[in-house]
C-alpha cells in the first residue's frame, strides 16, 4: 500500500555503519522514513534499522550494490512504489584502495571509481527523475577533503570524490528551477573504520582543531542541507574537517 504523500522519505547509501549510520539516525530524528542501503553488511544495516525504529521512526532495508545500474534503478522504483515518493537521497557509499599512483593496479582504480563516482550516477539519476516530477527534493553526496587536498596514495579516491563534486554542481544547476537541490559534504578525518589503522598522533597534527571528527558532526550538516532551512542552498560543497582547508 502506498503511504501518505506528506510522509518524508530518505534513501541513504552505505547506511550500515559510520557516517552512513549517523546520517540515517539524524534523518530519522528529523522525521524521515529512512531506507538503509547496504552492499555486504546486512547485519550492520539491520542494526541501523533497529536504531531508527527505537527513535520512533519508520525505515526499511534496501540491499543493492550501487555499482550495478540496473539494481540501483530497481531499488529506487521499489522504494517509490512502496512509499510514494523520495524526498532525500544521501550518497554515502564509498570504498578506499590506497596505493601510490605509479604502482596502482587497474583493479584498485576501478573499484574506487565504480563505487564513488559511477555509483553516484547509478543511484542519483533515477532519483532525480522522480524528484523533478514531484518538483521537490534534496540530494546530498558525501565527498572528502581528499578531493581538495593532495593525499599520497589516494589518486583513485580523490578522483572519485572530485568527480562527484563537479557532477553535483552541474546537476544542481540543471534542476534548481524544478525545486530540487543538490549539495555535497566533504568530511575530513572522521572516527570511522576507514581511519581505524591511522596513527592518531600524526593525523591530529594535521588538523587545526587537533581532534578527529565524529560521524554525528557530518550527519548534522547533512540534515541541515536536507531541510527547509537550507532552501536557498544548492550546488555547494560544505567542508566538515576541523579547519584542514
Amino acid at each position: 500500500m502506498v503511504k501518505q504523500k506528506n510522509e518524508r522519505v530518505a534513501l541513504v547509501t552505505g547506511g550500515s555503519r559510520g557516517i552512513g549510520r549517523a546520517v540515517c539516525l539524524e534523518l530519522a530524528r528529523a522525521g524521515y522514513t529512512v531506507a538503509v542501503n547496504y552492499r555486504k553488511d546486512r547485519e550492520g544495516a539491520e542494526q541501523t534499522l533497529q536504531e531508527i525504529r527505537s527513535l520512533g521512526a519508520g525505515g526499511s532495508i534496501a540491499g543493492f550494490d550501487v555499482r550495478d545500474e540496473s539494481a540501483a534503478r530497481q531499488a529506487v522504483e521499489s522504494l517509490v512504489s512502496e512509499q510514494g515518493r523520495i524526498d532525500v537521497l544521501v550518497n554515502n557509499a564509498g570504498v578506499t584502495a590506497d596505493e601510490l599512483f605509479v604502482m596502482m593496479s587497474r583493479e584498485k582504480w576501478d573499484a574506487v571509481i565504480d563505487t564513488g563516482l559511477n555509483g553516484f550516477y547509478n543511484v542519483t539519476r533515477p532519483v532525480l527523475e522522480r524528484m523533478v516530477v514531484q518538483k521537490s527534493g534534496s540530494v546530498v553526496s558525501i565527498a572528502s577533503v581528499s578531493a581538495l587536498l593532495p593525499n599520497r596514495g589516494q589518486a583513485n579516491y580523490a578522483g572519485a570524490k572530485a568527480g562527484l563534486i563537479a557532477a553535483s554542481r552541474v546537476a544542481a544547476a540543471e534542476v534548481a528551477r524544478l525545486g530540487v537541490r543538490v549539495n555535497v559534504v566533504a568530511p575530513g578525518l572522521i572516527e570511522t573504520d576507514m581511519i581505524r589503522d591511522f596513527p592518531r598522533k600524526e593525523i591530529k597534527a594535521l588538523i587545526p582543531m587537533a581532534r578527529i571528527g565524529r560521524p554525528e558532526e557530518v550527519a548534522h550538516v547533512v540534515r541541515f542541507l536536507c531541510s527547509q532551512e537550507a532552501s536557498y542552498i544548492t550546488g555547494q560543497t560544505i567542508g566538515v574537517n576541523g579547519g584542514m582547508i
Side-chain angles (χ1 to χ4, degrees), residues 9-168:
V9 179
L11 170 61
V12 180
T13 69
S16 64
R17 58 183 179 174
I19 291 173
R21 175 177 290 176
V23 168
C24 288
L25 298 179
E26 186 69 13
L27 292 177
R29 292 186 189 97
Y32 289 87
T33 293
V34 183
V36 183
N37 162 258
Y38 75 97
R39 180 170 66 94
K40 294 191 300 183
D41 187 9
R42 173 86 187 192
E43 183 177 352
E46 293 281 6
Q47 178 62 37
T48 301
L49 181 59
Q50 182 178 339
E51 293 185 32
I52 288 169
R53 289 175 173 166
S54 73
L55 295 170
S60 62
I61 297 294
F64 66 92
D65 189 341
V66 300
R67 299 174 300 179
D68 185 332
E69 182 179 3
S70 176
R73 176 172 288 277
Q74 184 177 354
V76 170
E77 290 174 353
S78 295
L79 184 59
V80 171
S81 176
E82 178 185 343
Q83 300 289 350
R85 59 189 296 119
I86 296 181
D87 298 282
V88 163
L89 167 63
V90 180
N91 290 299
N92 172 70
V95 297
T96 57
D98 294 357
E99 185 66 84
L100 292 177
F101 183 70
V102 72
M103 301 172 63
M104 185 175 291
S105 68
R106 184 60 190 241
E107 289 74 19
K108 285 189 173 182
W109 177 268
D110 286 345
V112 175
I113 297 294
D114 282 349
T115 300
L117 188 54
N118 293 336
F120 164 80
Y121 171 85
N122 293 339
V123 183
T124 305
R125 184 167 180 262
V127 168
L128 282 181
E129 287 175 358
R130 300 293 180 173
M131 287 181 172
V132 297
V133 170
Q134 64 194 36
K135 290 185 168 48
S136 67
S138 175
V139 176
V140 179
S141 297
I142 307 300
S144 170
V145 71
S146 295
L148 309 170
L149 290 174
N151 190 16
R152 286 166 53 89
Q154 289 199 323
N156 49 3
Y157 190 68
K161 296 304 188 181
L164 186 155
I165 290 171
S168 295

